[in-house]
Amino acid sequence: MARSTSKDAQALFQSLRSAYAATPTNLKIIDLYVVFAVLTAAIQIVYMAIVGSFPFNSFLSGVLSCIGTAVLAVCLRIQVNKDNKEFKDLPPERAFADFVLCNLVLHLVIMNFLG
Amino acid sequence: MSKLVHLLGFVTLNVFLLPFLCKSFSPETPTDRRVLVLLDDLAIQSSHSLFFKSLQSRGFDLDFKLAYDPKISLQRYGQYLYDALILFSPTIEGFGGSIDQAAILDFVDSGHDLIIGADANASDLIREIATECGVDFDEDSNALVIDHTSYAVSDTEGDHTLIASDDFINSNVILGSKKIEAPVLFQGIGHTINPTSSLVLKVLSASPSAYSANPKSKLSSPPSLTGSAISLVSIVQARNNARVLISGSLSIFSNRFFRSGVQKAGSAIKHEKSGNEQFLTELSKWVFHERGHLKAVNVRHHKVGEADEPAVYRINDDLEYSIDIYEWSGTSWEPYVADDVQLQFYMMSPYVLKTLSTDQKGHYFTSFKVPDVYGVFQFKVEYNRLGYTSLSLSKQIPVRPFRHNEYERFIPAAYPYYGAAFSMMAGFFVFTAIYLYNK
């Protein structure tokens, strides 16, 4: 069994980038959106670790709004991906409408819980 | 018709007066007290007159009756005629009239006071009443308390049944603040306190060298009652604050003992006057509630900065509690001063336990923060001190959580979270726009 080196890691990363370059633009936009949401959640968790958990409901709603957004975005990505045969009969417009509706419900709940 | 109206008026008047006709010691009507004295022999009235005079001079209305008088009764039409009963009839086998053991115990159970003077040859009836009160007299009916080391020195050698005892209970409320210097002369039977009764106290104990036996016969077996387990005079304060004094000697109350000088064996000091008068006067003041009877009034609580008593508190409210405690002095209610009155804020267990501050004028107060727990709480003051009537107050008060609109809003520390939530919403719009127009 060959030992793994940094060259292997680089080769792996290169192949990942080249494969990702072929991804359709609309999926790339969703990916960017997910990264934005997850980063915002991470920042809040760090902030909570420093400042303390005092308005805990606010912390929960802030973090959960980010995570909820990310989850909904991932769901949208699964449904609009052409390579995904499972949702081949679902039109992308329908998937997007679902996404919008779920987001409305999510943010309504978040606003209630934010305090 | 007008007769009927009169009758109705009379009946209504009686209904209103009934509570005031009741004669037990109550904080509302503590004066004008009547005492029934039951005697074996009317001669006791004169031979023990100093004791009776001290009671009469303090405003008690003594009603002397022979114990076997067929007309005596403690109550009429369900109302007690007397506030207290003195049994100076040690040999009586059965009372006259409607009085019996059960009637006397009912009398005490309804909050009235009792003094029992037993003596040598005390009857079974007196012994049983004492047993019901929690003290057991020596079962040997010929036994007397004998003490060969702390007897009272007299001209004749005697059989050492005349004891000079100075082993008093250490309590200012029971025996008064003035120390009793001279020993108390005692001649009579000893008793022990029932160990299961926590309400009985030994006021005058025998010395460690005392024992209870028949002085006329030779001691063949060890005496059953010995040493300071023997109580000469005991008191009981029942849970309803009725007070009972039980003495194993009737002559302890007599003029002869009151006036007699006393010299304890082995002591060089000869007292001109025995301690009996001071001891029994002070003790009778305690028994008849002239000392150590507390009442609590003006229980108030409110939020800090407000005057009205709320129906409910919120968690974390700051509140103030105050109470006035008075002690009956025989003529008036005097402020009670102590530094150990405690308040509990209680729900299953005390969440707050605070010692109340006092202004030395009977006013007790404190302030504290309601705990961060909601539920039905009680303000409790449980004050049980030796010799004092027990104070047990509780007042229920609910504690509610914050209302929905009482929570803090726009907390500076939470601004990042607000920002994140709103940026997610803004991000949603931006994402939607880019996603839709990207084609």
Side-chain angles (χ1 to χ4, degrees):
Chain A
M1 199 173 148
R3 286 185 62 204
S4 57
T5 61
S6 61
K7 267 229 170 77
D8 294 336
Q10 272 177 12
L12 190 68
F13 196 65
Q14 286 292 335
S15 69
L16 194 66
R17 267 183 68 174
S18 58
Y20 189 72
T23 313
T25 319
N26 64 337
L27 294 191
K28 280 183 178 166
I29 293 170
I30 296 176
D31 287 340
L32 190 65
Y33 184 53
V34 170
V35 168
F36 163 63
V38 169
L39 278 182
T40 315
I43 290 167
Q44 287 175 80
I45 290 167
V46 171
Y47 174 78
M48 189 274 273
I50 297 166
V51 174
S53 67
F54 158 54
F56 194 61
N57 58 316
S58 302
F59 163 73
L60 281 183
S61 55
V63 169
L64 289 180
S65 95
C66 297
I67 291 174
T69 301
V71 168
L72 291 176
V74 168
C75 292
L76 177 67
R77 193 187 191 281
I78 292 170
Q79 290 177 2
V80 297
N81 194 345
K82 294 279 184 318
D83 299 339
N84 203 342
K85 295 289 173 275
E86 196 183 339
F87 293 104
K88 123 170 137 311
D89 300 333
L90 190 78
E93 290 79 13
R94 165 73 201 276
F96 191 75
D98 282 354
F99 170 73
V100 170
L101 186 69
C102 289
N103 256 294
L104 286 178
V105 173
L106 173 72
H107 285 117
L108 192 71
V109 173
I110 293 298
M111 284 314 288
N112 257 308
F113 201 57
L114 199 58
Chain B
M1 189 61 200
S2 74
K3 260 186 188 168
L4 191 68
V5 171
H6 270 131
L7 189 69
L8 266 178
F10 182 70
V11 168
T12 345
L13 188 70
N14 264 348
V15 168
F16 282 117
L17 279 178
L18 268 179
F20 305 105
L21 293 172
C22 183
K23 292 274 188 171
S24 84
F25 185 92
S26 66
E28 291 78 31
T29 55
T31 48
D32 298 332
R33 310 189 64 216
R34 285 170 60 79
V35 181
L36 176 64
V37 186
L38 292 184
L39 308 168
D40 268 347
D41 180 351
L42 285 177
I44 294 174
Q45 193 178 341
S46 53
S47 66
H48 294 55
S49 63
L50 287 175
F51 177 69
F52 294 133
K53 280 217 181 77
S54 90
L55 292 181
Q56 276 162 335
S57 69
R58 301 206 308 266
F60 290 96
D61 186 1
L62 302 188
D63 195 359
F64 295 96
K65 289 274 164 63
L66 283 170
Y68 46 82
D69 185 338
K71 289 201 282 294
I72 54 172
S73 74
L74 284 172
Q75 55 177 333
R76 184 186 297 154
Y77 310 130
Q79 296 292 316
Y80 280 106
L81 301 169
Y82 302 98
D83 304 306
L85 174 62
I86 298 180
L87 287 182
F88 279 0
S89 53
T91 56
I92 192 81
E93 292 292 348
F95 295 107
S98 62
I99 301 183
D100 56 5
Q101 185 189 338
I104 289 174
L105 294 174
D106 282 344
F107 185 69
V108 175
D109 280 345
S110 55
H112 299 80
D113 308 321
L114 174 65
I115 293 180
I116 302 176
D119 213 338
N121 306 317
S123 68
D124 287 345
L125 178 61
I126 296 293
R127 285 165 186 271
E128 273 167 30
I129 294 171
T131 305
E132 292 293 330
C133 296
V135 310
D136 300 315
F137 283 112
D138 191 348
E139 282 168 16
D140 182 355
S141 57
N142 294 318
L144 290 174
V145 183
I146 304 171
D147 196 331
H148 294 302
T149 60
S150 53
Y151 57 93
V153 174
S154 58
D155 299 337
T156 54
E157 181 53 25
D159 49 12
H160 297 168
T161 56
L162 181 60
I163 297 171
S165 175
D166 51 7
D167 200 354
F168 303 112
I169 191 171
N170 183 17
S171 165
N172 282 353
V173 62
I174 295 171
L175 291 181
S177 47
K178 193 160 165 279
K179 192 174 179 295
I180 301 173
E181 299 288 346
V184 168
L185 287 171
F186 180 95
Q187 186 168 34
I189 54 177
H191 59 262
T192 51
I193 286 172
N194 189 337
T196 58
S197 173
S198 58
L199 304 171
V200 191
L201 296 170
K202 278 194 276 193
V203 190
L204 185 66
S205 312
S207 80
S209 59
Y211 63 96
S212 175
N214 185 352
K216 295 200 176 65
S217 69
K218 236 179 156 177
L219 204 55
S220 53
S221 58
S224 53
L225 298 184
T226 55
S228 38
I230 300 178
S231 174
L232 305 177
V233 178
S234 296
I235 53 169
V236 185
Q237 178 169 274
R239 290 193 180 83
N240 62 1
N241 294 331
R243 289 172 172 177
V244 181
L245 165 63
I246 297 157
S247 162
S249 163
L250 185 57
S251 47
I252 193 173
F253 299 93
S254 70
N255 295 357
R256 190 162 67 85
F257 280 19
F258 271 34
R259 289 208 182 105
S260 149
V262 60
Q263 183 182 5
K264 198 172 168 180
S267 160
I269 309 159
K270 181 159 174 43
H271 296 275
E272 282 302 307
K273 199 162 168 289
S274 72
N276 287 41
E277 179 161 17
Q278 191 190 350
F279 174 69
L280 289 168
T281 306
E282 296 299 328
L283 200 53
S284 68
K285 280 183 185 169
W286 182 85
V287 171
F288 290 147
H289 295 268
E290 286 168 76
R291 208 167 34 226
H293 192 105
L294 302 178
K295 76 165 180 181
V297 290
N298 291 335
V299 181
R300 289 209 182 101
H301 59 88
H302 54 82
K303 277 190 215 170
V304 171
E306 292 179 14
D308 294 336
E309 187 174 297
V312 58
Y313 283 105
R314 199 191 65 191
I315 57 170
N316 296 334
D317 268 349
D318 288 299
L319 67 84
E320 287 174 347
Y321 180 91
S322 69
I323 188 174
D324 292 348
I325 301 179
Y326 294 97
E327 182 185 359
W328 179 246
S329 72
T331 48
S332 61
W333 289 101
E334 302 289 339
Y336 175 67
V337 179
D339 56 2
D340 55 356
V341 185
Q342 289 185 317
L343 168 73
Q344 302 173 34
F345 198 58
Y346 186 95
M347 181 171 68
M348 307 288 272
S349 63
Y351 280 71
V352 175
L353 177 62
K354 288 205 86 172
T355 303
L356 298 173
S357 316
T358 175
D359 65 351
Q360 307 293 323
K361 288 177 193 130
H363 185 65
Y364 293 82
F365 54 94
T366 190
S367 63
F368 61 90
K369 191 187 259 302
V370 176
D372 198 0
V373 181
Y374 61 86
V376 179
F377 280 84
Q378 282 175 317
F379 289 109
K380 266 194 176 190
V381 175
E382 295 280 349
Y383 192 69
N384 299 304
R385 291 294 178 275
L386 182 76
Y388 287 99
T389 53
S390 53
L391 280 184
S392 177
L393 311 170
S394 69
K395 195 167 190 181
Q396 193 165 297
I397 188 85
V399 173
R400 64 169 173 81
F402 283 111
R403 271 198 212 104
H404 189 259
N405 59 4
E406 282 173 338
Y407 286 97
E408 218 180 334
R409 286 272 161 84
F410 306 113
I411 306 159
Y415 274 95
Y417 308 133
Y418 303 155
F422 285 109
S423 78
M424 278 303 115
M425 285 183 220
F428 170 65
F429 278 108
V430 172
F431 168 76
T432 310
I434 293 175
Y435 187 81
L436 291 179
Y437 290 100
N438 149 52
K439 300 282 156 58

